[in-house]
Amino acid sequence: MLSIKTCTAFCTRISVMETIVFSPLHTVNYNFTMSGKVVLTYFNGRGKMESIRWLLAVAGVEFEEVNLTKREEYLKLLSDGELMYEQVPLVEIDGMKLVQTKAILSYIAAKYHLYGKDLKERVMIDMYAEGLRDLMEMIMVLPFLSPDAKKTKLDEIKSKATSRYLPVFEKALAGSQYLVGNQLSCADVHLVEATLMLEEKFPTILSEFPALKAFQARMKSLPAIDKFLQPGSKRKPQPDDVYTKTVFEVLNLKI
């Protein structure tokens, strides 16, 4: 397995789950798809695609998934020019084939009125969302670490979560129902996702953050989120060895 130092460098280059390639560059196909379906192409696991699944679910958008399981499937996407930067996630929506996670999330948030009422609210939403992505990416890297490196990383995540990230959101939610303004935004959705990810690793981590705990309970009671959290939904489970092995094989990554 990878050491923390190696994995940190590895993730800097590929943003944890957005992929690097060891094949020649291919011409990008800029033709728009005419399909009316929303189709997500990624691995059968969380990674960078999970926040996209969350946002679509909260917006009430049905979607289909194409799970990459073989190297040949990924190489075909490259040869067909489907990946602008030779990376997934890939999302087909509104006649477009979108890559780059932040761009995809921003588009979905704006389309489904989860991006604030003006530019000032939008920039605040972006600041909260970017911080949450930084936090979640630290958790995403865990399946790719050795046992010893994983323990060290978990200690780092807990320390940074409780000292750097969670206090920001606790303060923002003091006396407020939402992070920004008076309506649900994509930042709120990302915060629910992030707190649940943290609780999977540290079950009592929100005990010292009552506003966050109350916020999470309110959000989980929303029909769309409640549905997404039920068994059988399109929410992915925590990454396992099969998921990790598939990522390495499809991307031809070396340990």
Side-chain angles (χ1 to χ4, degrees), residues 68-81:
L68 299 175
T69 59
K70 299 177 181 179
R71 174 88 175 147
E72 292 74 17
E73 297 166 345
Y74 175 65
L75 291 177
K76 187 176 189 306
L77 288 174
L78 294 179
S79 64
D80 290 347

Side-chain angles (χ1 to χ4, degrees), residues 193-208:
E193 179 188 4
T195 57
L196 291 173
M197 289 174 70
L198 284 170
E199 286 184 323
E200 288 173 339
K201 305 301 181 186
F202 317 105
T204 63
I205 196 167
L206 295 186
S207 60
E208 297 182 10

Side-chain angles (χ1 to χ4, degrees), residues 175-233:
S176 179
Q177 186 174 2
Y178 303 109
L179 284 174
V180 179
N182 57 6
Q183 63 184 25
L184 184 71
S185 75
C186 60
D188 298 307
V189 179
H190 298 329
L191 182 55
V192 178
E193 179 188 4
T195 57
L196 291 173
M197 289 174 70
L198 284 170
E199 286 184 323
E200 288 173 339
K201 305 301 181 186
F202 317 105
T204 63
I205 196 167
L206 295 186
S207 60
E208 297 182 10
F209 301 95
L212 260 174
K213 191 71 176 175
F215 166 84
Q216 187 198 71
R218 290 196 306 272
M219 295 299 103
K220 287 168 67 176
S221 70
L222 297 178
I225 291 179
D226 177 67
K227 180 181 178 181
F228 192 61
L229 293 176
Q230 296 304 312
S233 78

